[in-house]
Amino acid sequence: MKKLSLFFFLFLIAVLNVFSQQTKVVSGIVSGPDGPLAGVSVSAKLAGNTVATNEQGKYVITANYADTLLISAIGYTPMQISVGDRDVIDVDLSERITSLGEVVVVGYGTQTRRNVTGSVTKVSMKQTENLPNTNVTQALRGRVAGVQFIDNGRPGQSGSILIRGVRSLSGSNAPLIIVDGIFFNAGIQNINPNDIESMEVLKDASASAIYGSRAANGVILITSKKGSTEKPQLQINLFSGAADRAHKVKLLTPERYIERMRDYNIQAGLPAAQLSDYLYPSEIANMEAGHVNDHWKMVSQNAPLVSVDASMSGRTKKTNYYLSGSYTDEKGLMLNDQMKRLTLRSNIENQIANWLTIGMNTTFITRNESGTLPAASSNIHPYSTLYYDDGEPRQYMLPEDQVSQGNPLYNALLNKNETIINNIFANFYAIVKIPKVNGLQYRLNYSPNYRWDHNYNFFRQDKHESSNTTSAGKFHREDFDWVMEHIITYTKQLGRNHRLDLTALYGMDGRSSSSTTANSELFASDILGWDNMSLGTLFTTTSSASKQRGVSSMIRANYGFKDRYLFTFTMRRDASSVFSENNKYALFPSGAVSWLLSDEGFLEKNRLIRYLKLRLSYGAVGNQAISPYQSLSASSITRYVFGDGGTSSLGVYPSQMPNNNLKWESTYTGNIGVDFELSEGRIGGSLELYSMKTKDLLVQRSLPAMTGFPSVWTNLGATTNKGAEITLNTINIKSRAFEWSTNFVFSQNKNAIRHLYYSDADGDGKEDDDINNRWFIGQPVNVAYDYVFDGIYQKGDTYPPGYKAGDVRVKDLNGDGNITAAADRTVIGQTGQPKYRWGINNTFEYGNFSLNVFINGMQGWISSIDLVGNGLQNDRNFNRIDHGWWTEENASNSMPSLIYTNPLGHGYYMSRNFVRLQDLSLSFNFPGTWRKMLKLTNARIFLSGKNLLTFTKWPGADPESGANQNGIPLRKMYTIGFNVSF
Amino acid sequence: MVATLSCSQKDNLTEVPLSFLSSDNVLNSKQGFEQYITGIHEAARTQLNMIDYNDGFINLQQGTDVACNGELALINYGNWVTYLTPTRPVVANYWNWAYRQMLVRSNTVIAYASKPELSGIWANEAEKNAIIAEAKFFRAYTHNFLANLYGDVPIVDTIYSAPKADFVRSMRKDVYQFAASDLEFASQWLPETVDKQHEGRIVKAAADHLLSEVYISLGEYDKAIASASKVINSGLYQLMTERFGLHKDEPGDVYGDLFKPGNQNRSSGNLETIYVWQFEDQTPGGQGGQNGAGNPSLRYWGPFYVNVKDPAGYNMLVVDSLGRSVGGVRPTNYFFYDIWAKDFNNDIRNSEYNIQRTHYYNNPASPWVNTPVLEAHKANIDTFRMLFPRIRKVLGNISWKGAISAVNRGYTSSDFIVYRLAETYLLRAEAYMKKGDLDNAAADINKVRARAHATPVAASDVNMDYILDERARELITEEIRHVTLARTGTLVERVRKYNMREDTRTTIQDYHKFWPIPQSAIDANFDAVLTQNPGYN
């Protein structure tokens, strides 16, 4: 198969090469909104020439007839223009975000927006440059239709990304991240957002199929910056801010806490006449002395943020460079939560000869995420005693030591932690223009990604404990990933009507990882910490290692007829070691057609419709997002000591069920898209409808305990995702001084399980559900399946045996008078992802001021949250969410009494719907006269607020991430920043 | 370039695990089989400590005639109807322990050892069969536990290499029968004794002891008597009657010596013990369980005395000799008083060395230090959880891992006796009694009573209740009482009669004679119906 396609490819090249290679001289003037632009790079792709515009914006270049001019300059949208018969080509570069000539990265190449056939959303970094984002995901949150980014509130952490919903039941749903063309396995938090030129999100199969086996969850392409002007540019960005909780959890106040403890005793039939019946003496003493704990103050810290970033870039005739460095120091809201990140980047490209260009993009990142966070912080009750008089933390919050309620600060203060993550990622490439064959090019990529990180812990002596509490652990890990790719591309214009663009790839990749953990306990002295573990008495060492390999080949053909009928065909073949012996290989084909209606005669003269494109695509992509060795049988080890004073014996036991048939999961996606621009570009946008079917799902299926194993990785069934995405950009008002523009995105995704095991054991003619895994035919992948809450039993009601007033009543769904697990549980709602997501961004520009307001929301999801506390031990002295409780006097019909034991084990479900004012920023651009005076090319100052308002009924720390009572809250941040370039 | 593109794809995509083992590459030598056997021993011990507290072992002692839930706020068996449900974690915890740990590990050894291609690794048939015998002992131990507690359960006699969801429950007697045939094999091939370095391994007497119990459940009393007699007549075991061991010169008596630290294994001179779970402090693998801290018996069974205030207002302090017990399992007054009856003063099992009934204030800051807690004070003390007689059997050396955390100072490094000869006598007595031979039943019981200096029982007084009382006197904290009562079908009636908590006594229903089948097992087994026990819906 592969060889055949190669011969076909070479044959095509030979035939097409017969056509003209004549060159000519083209000239023109490049202008921006304020007049001619100097130092703009103009290159002719086929002829391989690059020139820059002079002070008057003029360029002269030798190009082929079939050539395409690439015109680019920092701060402007690059353009591609076909040369054709023209001798003079004047170009207007625009700063506008939507532009049809905009170059879009599509994976293994670029295309202009008008020529793209698949569903590709470009995220301009311009939109978010005034926002204090230290992480790429923050820049994307809510801004791309169909994409969900969830910030987990931690400084420097990546959160999670989901494109067009959940496909896989238990394989990873994280999209593939590609940085400058190479798989990036290191985590998106390693990337300095200011190094990014653009990001493209590939959503349909046609766009993503070139990444075949890894693309099932969508692909995010990240392109780092390059130099584009002859005059070297120096740019400095600086911002600093402070943070608070975006959304506050309502915990029991001291008064409510006392009330709750008292009501518990009353309901449990225990004495409750006086405080000492339900509070501990130390609590009463604290109360009388006026010592009240604000749980939040005890576990939080000031959360300042500082970020500095500097870059230098430029290009000469032969060389193009971009160098940058950034430093971010960010503190989280929780005590000890912090991140310091240093990044360095060097992108250099040199044209050694007309036919040879060599370049290397390299980045080094080091992140320091040291610190031990407090444990379940909201458990701190108002009158607990957290410290001894000498300031040392207590292990338990009640000095009487009667209740095993641990002090959340104990570990945070006694344990020292150092977590450092380092990463070097490089991409070396060589581009060879094959002599004598115009448009034929070979590219070699070799990209190593080396990561090493460590995590050290030392638990010091608790001065108030007689036993030795010391222990230390050192964890070291090394990861080495590599990618080697050979890519051939061939571009050919055949006469005026036919344009052909071919790409072929052969690549190999590998990943290896190894780690070692050394632990030492019972230190003779704790002064040296983890640096001398020999001071301990009891030692354990563990290590692990893994390796995986992949081989890929791919061919893609783009064909354009009259530049308005565009076709793309892609075929990729992938192999991965992680699958079972018989299923290493898989084939992923895809195709797409697009039709530029606006170029047709019947619309060409239409003044309203400037641009209208219809896109259709269908194809397959795969998912290999499982760890190595999952198809193999595995055993784990344990230890036992026979005899008194005996030595430790090794024990081995089976721990993983094998699966000799584990294979690729494939997703087949059909996509219909419409792109449009109306009214001179005042209204633009796109509409996407898609239907995805995923089969042979990679699933970690829970097994009956009787099989001996908890779960196994297997392929089964099928899921579908159907949805719609709307992106709308409008310029609502545009006058000389004032402009108001709006960007609106909306997406809706309906996810359903179609098949599981194709079994019908109960013979009812319908495929069986898998209740234990909570998987139901026709329902979304993540659902709450439970008894249906039906209020609270009140005094005088008839109770089931064992029940009493104040207990939860659940619905008798089948009306047989009994509550049974078989008949009275049902699907209550969708969890995990919302039904609808939307975001609306408004930009107001007046003179040199610009105001940006971004609101986003998600609707149609629920989650279970603990609202009643631990039913087993409700008397214990915890603080918790104040969501009320049933008492005889105040007979709630929504919350049970404090002694309700939840015999059915049901959950409490709350909506996670929210609307959030996510970003608000005001910026001021220095006017030209100021800049001239200060000799600056550009200068801007901005004020920004993040997560300022959240509207939700979710009682936990954050609805978007689903953080519960003890979850880490999202930060509300206020920042001031400064960008300057010269 | 063409060469590169078409270069061979013979890249090695075959996976070779770098850092984990598999049955195929371990179970090809005798040493490998020994390692798998060790794996089963580790699993067996976690029956005691795999889950700390609420959802773990205390559920197998509470809710009985001899013990109740000491912590009123803990809902365990407070209301049987709403507590013991198919979704209650402990119900699945022990089910999963049995199938996911015990049976899969045992069956793997049995399946591999019988492989003809491995015949070369064995010196002889006996060597191979000894390995299989030890695995079969554990397989029988587990099936017997399941049948006792849950009633009818699926028998699992093989290993699975593909998902399966159509298990069905076998009749309880078939489960016992299956266990019996495993034990018959085990009895034939297990060694009679093991050397000091291997203490804790399974010996022939352990199989015979358990087989005797299983035969009783099958109603085959003669066989039960024969099996127990094999142990009793082996010449290897004897009820200890003289002081022995590491602490024999300290004040005490021989019954107390049986449980002193370091005295559980046979090499200490304790010729009574047959199967002992091994604990060893500060050695990897010596503790096991959820907290990696050792034997939690002390923590569960002792009073929560740190909450006791002396008349001057000083709390008692945790001291290492007593440990930090929390009264999770509160022995009933039926155990503390009623069952000793007229032997209260002469039965050494009730001596001050074995049940401490006088407590002393111990806060050195208080003027009351070292003075006894008097009856007069008790009016102000919660004597349900905080202060009750202390069964000294569970005391031991506080394990280091337990000691670093104040709440865990209830873990000891004492070995835990699973089977000892006194129980073998009581099993044989039970078989004789069931068979109608009360004289021999009384004779066996009196062997045990004689060592305890208790008055002999008359044959006419021997019945199931008497044997259960005797088991409580002799085996409290050692036998898994909830399972014993479920095995003998006496759980419901004895809880109603003797449990100390009114709610526990009054809410138990007849159907509670078995635990429910976990809902998670029923849900997962969707290719066949795994029926629920009656009463649990």
mmCIF file of all heavy atoms in Angstrom, chain B residues 496-520:
data_model
loop_
_atom_site.group_PDB
_atom_site.id
_atom_site.type_symbol
_atom_site.label_atom_id
_atom_site.label_comp_id
_atom_site.label_asym_id
_atom_site.label_seq_id
_atom_site.Cartn_x
_atom_site.Cartn_y
_atom_site.Cartn_z
ATOM 1 N N ARG B 496 -30.220 -10.870 69.413
ATOM 2 C CA ARG B 496 -31.452 -10.431 70.093
ATOM 3 C C ARG B 496 -31.353 -10.649 71.588
ATOM 4 O O ARG B 496 -31.846 -9.865 72.387
ATOM 5 C CB ARG B 496 -32.653 -11.195 69.547
ATOM 6 C CG ARG B 496 -33.095 -10.680 68.184
ATOM 7 C CD ARG B 496 -34.381 -11.330 67.708
ATOM 8 N NE ARG B 496 -34.744 -10.807 66.395
ATOM 9 C CZ ARG B 496 -35.194 -11.555 65.393
ATOM 10 N NH1 ARG B 496 -35.371 -12.871 65.558
ATOM 11 N NH2 ARG B 496 -35.492 -11.007 64.243
ATOM 12 N N LYS B 497 -30.659 -11.721 71.964
ATOM 13 C CA LYS B 497 -30.582 -12.046 73.388
ATOM 14 C C LYS B 497 -29.503 -11.259 74.111
ATOM 15 O O LYS B 497 -29.702 -10.797 75.217
ATOM 16 C CB LYS B 497 -30.239 -13.531 73.538
ATOM 17 C CG LYS B 497 -31.429 -14.432 73.779
ATOM 18 C CD LYS B 497 -30.896 -15.785 74.243
ATOM 19 C CE LYS B 497 -31.864 -16.896 73.928
ATOM 20 N NZ LYS B 497 -31.238 -18.192 73.862
ATOM 21 N N TYR B 498 -28.340 -11.147 73.500
ATOM 22 C CA TYR B 498 -27.178 -10.750 74.292
ATOM 23 C C TYR B 498 -26.527 -9.433 73.904
ATOM 24 O O TYR B 498 -25.690 -8.941 74.643
ATOM 25 C CB TYR B 498 -26.098 -11.841 74.237
ATOM 26 C CG TYR B 498 -26.602 -13.180 74.700
ATOM 27 C CD1 TYR B 498 -26.538 -14.294 73.878
ATOM 28 C CD2 TYR B 498 -27.136 -13.328 75.992
ATOM 29 C CE1 TYR B 498 -26.983 -15.528 74.303
ATOM 30 C CE2 TYR B 498 -27.604 -14.567 76.424
ATOM 31 C CZ TYR B 498 -27.519 -15.670 75.576
ATOM 32 O OH TYR B 498 -27.972 -16.875 76.008
ATOM 33 N N ASN B 499 -26.833 -8.884 72.729
ATOM 34 C CA ASN B 499 -26.157 -7.640 72.393
ATOM 35 C C ASN B 499 -26.553 -6.573 73.391
ATOM 36 O O ASN B 499 -27.641 -6.594 73.952
ATOM 37 C CB ASN B 499 -26.463 -7.186 70.962
ATOM 38 C CG ASN B 499 -25.507 -6.111 70.497
ATOM 39 O OD1 ASN B 499 -25.671 -4.940 70.841
ATOM 40 N ND2 ASN B 499 -24.493 -6.507 69.755
ATOM 41 N N MET B 500 -25.667 -5.642 73.621
ATOM 42 C CA MET B 500 -25.837 -4.702 74.705
ATOM 43 C C MET B 500 -26.626 -3.470 74.286
ATOM 44 O O MET B 500 -27.146 -2.739 75.122
ATOM 45 C CB MET B 500 -24.441 -4.259 75.117
ATOM 46 C CG MET B 500 -24.297 -3.923 76.552
ATOM 47 S SD MET B 500 -22.545 -3.629 76.794
ATOM 48 C CE MET B 500 -22.623 -2.571 78.205
ATOM 49 N N ARG B 501 -26.665 -3.212 72.991
ATOM 50 C CA ARG B 501 -27.345 -2.003 72.526
ATOM 51 C C ARG B 501 -28.765 -2.343 72.150
ATOM 52 O O ARG B 501 -29.008 -3.256 71.362
ATOM 53 C CB ARG B 501 -26.612 -1.410 71.313
ATOM 54 C CG ARG B 501 -25.356 -0.677 71.689
ATOM 55 C CD ARG B 501 -24.623 -0.190 70.476
ATOM 56 N NE ARG B 501 -25.421 0.726 69.666
ATOM 57 C CZ ARG B 501 -24.894 1.610 68.821
ATOM 58 N NH1 ARG B 501 -23.573 1.668 68.669
ATOM 59 N NH2 ARG B 501 -25.657 2.396 68.112
ATOM 60 N N GLU B 502 -29.669 -1.542 72.641
ATOM 61 C CA GLU B 502 -31.072 -1.830 72.382
ATOM 62 C C GLU B 502 -31.371 -1.752 70.885
ATOM 63 O O GLU B 502 -32.057 -2.603 70.335
ATOM 64 C CB GLU B 502 -31.945 -0.842 73.148
ATOM 65 C CG GLU B 502 -33.384 -1.336 73.225
ATOM 66 C CD GLU B 502 -34.369 -0.230 73.530
ATOM 67 O OE1 GLU B 502 -33.948 0.808 74.062
ATOM 68 O OE2 GLU B 502 -35.568 -0.419 73.210
ATOM 69 N N ASP B 503 -30.816 -0.710 70.216
ATOM 70 C CA ASP B 503 -31.107 -0.566 68.786
ATOM 71 C C ASP B 503 -30.591 -1.776 67.998
ATOM 72 O O ASP B 503 -31.264 -2.300 67.120
ATOM 73 C CB ASP B 503 -30.547 0.751 68.235
ATOM 74 C CG ASP B 503 -29.078 0.991 68.566
ATOM 75 O OD1 ASP B 503 -28.479 0.143 69.257
ATOM 76 O OD2 ASP B 503 -28.530 2.033 68.140
ATOM 77 N N THR B 504 -29.415 -2.267 68.365
ATOM 78 C CA THR B 504 -28.853 -3.431 67.673
ATOM 79 C C THR B 504 -29.726 -4.672 67.906
ATOM 80 O O THR B 504 -29.996 -5.444 66.993
ATOM 81 C CB THR B 504 -27.416 -3.695 68.173
ATOM 82 O OG1 THR B 504 -26.653 -2.507 67.992
ATOM 83 C CG2 THR B 504 -26.774 -4.830 67.413
ATOM 84 N N ARG B 505 -30.162 -4.840 69.150
ATOM 85 C CA ARG B 505 -30.977 -5.999 69.498
ATOM 86 C C ARG B 505 -32.326 -5.984 68.798
ATOM 87 O O ARG B 505 -32.812 -7.003 68.336
ATOM 88 C CB ARG B 505 -31.252 -6.013 71.011
ATOM 89 C CG ARG B 505 -30.207 -6.650 71.866
ATOM 90 C CD ARG B 505 -30.761 -7.028 73.243
ATOM 91 N NE ARG B 505 -31.519 -5.955 73.889
ATOM 92 C CZ ARG B 505 -30.967 -4.983 74.613
ATOM 93 N NH1 ARG B 505 -29.646 -4.931 74.747
ATOM 94 N NH2 ARG B 505 -31.719 -4.069 75.182
ATOM 95 N N THR B 506 -32.925 -4.786 68.712
ATOM 96 C CA THR B 506 -34.312 -4.753 68.255
ATOM 97 C C THR B 506 -34.458 -4.619 66.743
ATOM 98 O O THR B 506 -35.505 -4.934 66.199
ATOM 99 C CB THR B 506 -35.065 -3.585 68.913
ATOM 100 O OG1 THR B 506 -34.341 -2.389 68.648
ATOM 101 C CG2 THR B 506 -35.178 -3.781 70.412
ATOM 102 N N THR B 507 -33.423 -4.144 66.080
ATOM 103 C CA THR B 507 -33.609 -3.936 64.638
ATOM 104 C C THR B 507 -33.177 -5.129 63.800
ATOM 105 O O THR B 507 -33.475 -5.181 62.610
ATOM 106 C CB THR B 507 -32.822 -2.699 64.150
ATOM 107 O OG1 THR B 507 -31.458 -2.858 64.527
ATOM 108 C CG2 THR B 507 -33.385 -1.416 64.736
ATOM 109 N N ILE B 508 -32.482 -6.084 64.389
ATOM 110 C CA ILE B 508 -32.028 -7.217 63.573
ATOM 111 C C ILE B 508 -33.237 -8.028 63.102
ATOM 112 O O ILE B 508 -34.202 -8.227 63.851
ATOM 113 C CB ILE B 508 -30.996 -8.091 64.334
ATOM 114 C CG1 ILE B 508 -30.319 -9.059 63.360
ATOM 115 C CG2 ILE B 508 -31.640 -8.811 65.522
ATOM 116 C CD1 ILE B 508 -29.107 -9.770 63.928
ATOM 117 N N GLN B 509 -33.203 -8.415 61.855
ATOM 118 C CA GLN B 509 -34.290 -9.203 61.255
ATOM 119 C C GLN B 509 -33.771 -10.602 60.953
ATOM 120 O O GLN B 509 -32.566 -10.815 60.848
ATOM 121 C CB GLN B 509 -34.738 -8.542 59.942
ATOM 122 C CG GLN B 509 -35.068 -7.068 60.047
ATOM 123 C CD GLN B 509 -36.269 -6.791 60.938
ATOM 124 O OE1 GLN B 509 -37.293 -7.455 60.830
ATOM 125 N NE2 GLN B 509 -36.137 -5.823 61.833
ATOM 126 N N ASP B 510 -34.702 -11.523 60.751
ATOM 127 C CA ASP B 510 -34.284 -12.903 60.480
ATOM 128 C C ASP B 510 -33.363 -12.988 59.268
ATOM 129 O O ASP B 510 -32.434 -13.786 59.231
ATOM 130 C CB ASP B 510 -35.515 -13.786 60.256
ATOM 131 C CG ASP B 510 -36.271 -14.009 61.569
ATOM 132 O OD1 ASP B 510 -35.679 -13.715 62.642
ATOM 133 O OD2 ASP B 510 -37.435 -14.443 61.513
ATOM 134 N N TYR B 511 -33.634 -12.123 58.268
ATOM 135 C CA TYR B 511 -32.823 -12.245 57.051
ATOM 136 C C TYR B 511 -31.376 -11.826 57.257
ATOM 137 O O TYR B 511 -30.523 -12.087 56.407
ATOM 138 C CB TYR B 511 -33.451 -11.470 55.893
ATOM 139 C CG TYR B 511 -33.461 -9.956 55.979
ATOM 140 C CD1 TYR B 511 -32.336 -9.217 55.648
ATOM 141 C CD2 TYR B 511 -34.620 -9.272 56.362
ATOM 142 C CE1 TYR B 511 -32.354 -7.830 55.705
ATOM 143 C CE2 TYR B 511 -34.642 -7.886 56.423
ATOM 144 C CZ TYR B 511 -33.509 -7.164 56.092
ATOM 145 O OH TYR B 511 -33.528 -5.797 56.148
ATOM 146 N N HIS B 512 -31.069 -11.199 58.371
ATOM 147 C CA HIS B 512 -29.681 -10.791 58.609
ATOM 148 C C HIS B 512 -28.763 -11.954 58.945
ATOM 149 O O HIS B 512 -27.577 -11.747 59.215
ATOM 150 C CB HIS B 512 -29.629 -9.733 59.717
ATOM 151 C CG HIS B 512 -30.196 -8.412 59.293
ATOM 152 N ND1 HIS B 512 -31.195 -7.760 59.982
ATOM 153 C CD2 HIS B 512 -29.928 -7.636 58.214
ATOM 154 C CE1 HIS B 512 -31.512 -6.633 59.362
ATOM 155 N NE2 HIS B 512 -30.763 -6.539 58.277
ATOM 156 N N LYS B 513 -29.298 -13.169 58.909
ATOM 157 C CA LYS B 513 -28.423 -14.324 59.137
ATOM 158 C C LYS B 513 -27.325 -14.395 58.084
ATOM 159 O O LYS B 513 -26.280 -15.004 58.317
ATOM 160 C CB LYS B 513 -29.237 -15.612 59.157
ATOM 161 C CG LYS B 513 -29.908 -15.932 57.847
ATOM 162 C CD LYS B 513 -30.720 -17.213 57.964
ATOM 163 C CE LYS B 513 -31.434 -17.478 56.642
ATOM 164 N NZ LYS B 513 -32.207 -18.700 56.668
ATOM 165 N N PHE B 514 -27.578 -13.803 56.907
ATOM 166 C CA PHE B 514 -26.517 -13.678 55.897
ATOM 167 C C PHE B 514 -26.283 -12.206 55.607
ATOM 168 O O PHE B 514 -27.196 -11.388 55.708
ATOM 169 C CB PHE B 514 -26.927 -14.342 54.580
ATOM 170 C CG PHE B 514 -27.095 -15.821 54.678
ATOM 171 C CD1 PHE B 514 -28.264 -16.434 54.215
ATOM 172 C CD2 PHE B 514 -26.101 -16.620 55.230
ATOM 173 C CE1 PHE B 514 -28.417 -17.807 54.308
ATOM 174 C CE2 PHE B 514 -26.263 -17.994 55.316
ATOM 175 C CZ PHE B 514 -27.425 -18.587 54.857
ATOM 176 N N TRP B 515 -25.092 -11.897 55.206
ATOM 177 C CA TRP B 515 -24.830 -10.563 54.672
ATOM 178 C C TRP B 515 -25.454 -10.466 53.280
ATOM 179 O O TRP B 515 -25.638 -11.487 52.598
ATOM 180 C CB TRP B 515 -23.312 -10.326 54.552
ATOM 181 C CG TRP B 515 -22.679 -9.799 55.806
ATOM 182 C CD1 TRP B 515 -23.176 -9.886 57.074
ATOM 183 C CD2 TRP B 515 -21.426 -9.119 55.905
ATOM 184 N NE1 TRP B 515 -22.307 -9.285 57.957
ATOM 185 C CE2 TRP B 515 -21.225 -8.812 57.262
ATOM 186 C CE3 TRP B 515 -20.453 -8.725 54.986
ATOM 187 C CZ2 TRP B 515 -20.090 -8.138 57.729
ATOM 188 C CZ3 TRP B 515 -19.331 -8.065 55.440
ATOM 189 C CH2 TRP B 515 -19.148 -7.762 56.803
ATOM 190 N N PRO B 516 -25.737 -9.244 52.835
ATOM 191 C CA PRO B 516 -26.237 -9.099 51.460
ATOM 192 C C PRO B 516 -25.114 -9.322 50.448
ATOM 193 O O PRO B 516 -23.939 -9.136 50.775
ATOM 194 C CB PRO B 516 -26.709 -7.649 51.410
ATOM 195 C CG PRO B 516 -25.926 -6.950 52.467
ATOM 196 C CD PRO B 516 -25.671 -7.958 53.544
ATOM 197 N N ILE B 517 -25.483 -9.703 49.234
ATOM 198 C CA ILE B 517 -24.507 -9.740 48.142
ATOM 199 C C ILE B 517 -24.258 -8.279 47.737
ATOM 200 O O ILE B 517 -25.214 -7.521 47.581
ATOM 201 C CB ILE B 517 -25.067 -10.527 46.935
ATOM 202 C CG1 ILE B 517 -25.485 -11.941 47.358
ATOM 203 C CG2 ILE B 517 -24.060 -10.571 45.790
ATOM 204 C CD1 ILE B 517 -24.387 -12.811 47.903
ATOM 205 N N PRO B 518 -23.012 -7.861 47.581
ATOM 206 C CA PRO B 518 -22.779 -6.449 47.250
ATOM 207 C C PRO B 518 -23.465 -6.041 45.946
ATOM 208 O O PRO B 518 -23.428 -6.787 44.965
ATOM 209 C CB PRO B 518 -21.259 -6.343 47.089
ATOM 210 C CG PRO B 518 -20.688 -7.640 47.496
ATOM 211 C CD PRO B 518 -21.777 -8.633 47.668
ATOM 212 N N GLN B 519 -24.063 -4.866 45.954
ATOM 213 C CA GLN B 519 -24.738 -4.381 44.746
ATOM 214 C C GLN B 519 -23.744 -4.251 43.591
ATOM 215 O O GLN B 519 -24.071 -4.495 42.439
ATOM 216 C CB GLN B 519 -25.390 -3.018 45.026
ATOM 217 C CG GLN B 519 -26.342 -2.543 43.936
ATOM 218 C CD GLN B 519 -27.539 -3.477 43.785
ATOM 219 O OE1 GLN B 519 -28.096 -3.948 44.775
ATOM 220 N NE2 GLN B 519 -27.906 -3.787 42.552
ATOM 221 N N SER B 520 -22.497 -3.879 43.891
ATOM 222 C CA SER B 520 -21.504 -3.710 42.827
ATOM 223 C C SER B 520 -21.256 -5.034 42.112
ATOM 224 O O SER B 520 -21.046 -5.060 40.898
ATOM 225 C CB SER B 520 -20.202 -3.153 43.396
ATOM 226 O OG SER B 520 -19.706 -3.991 44.415
#
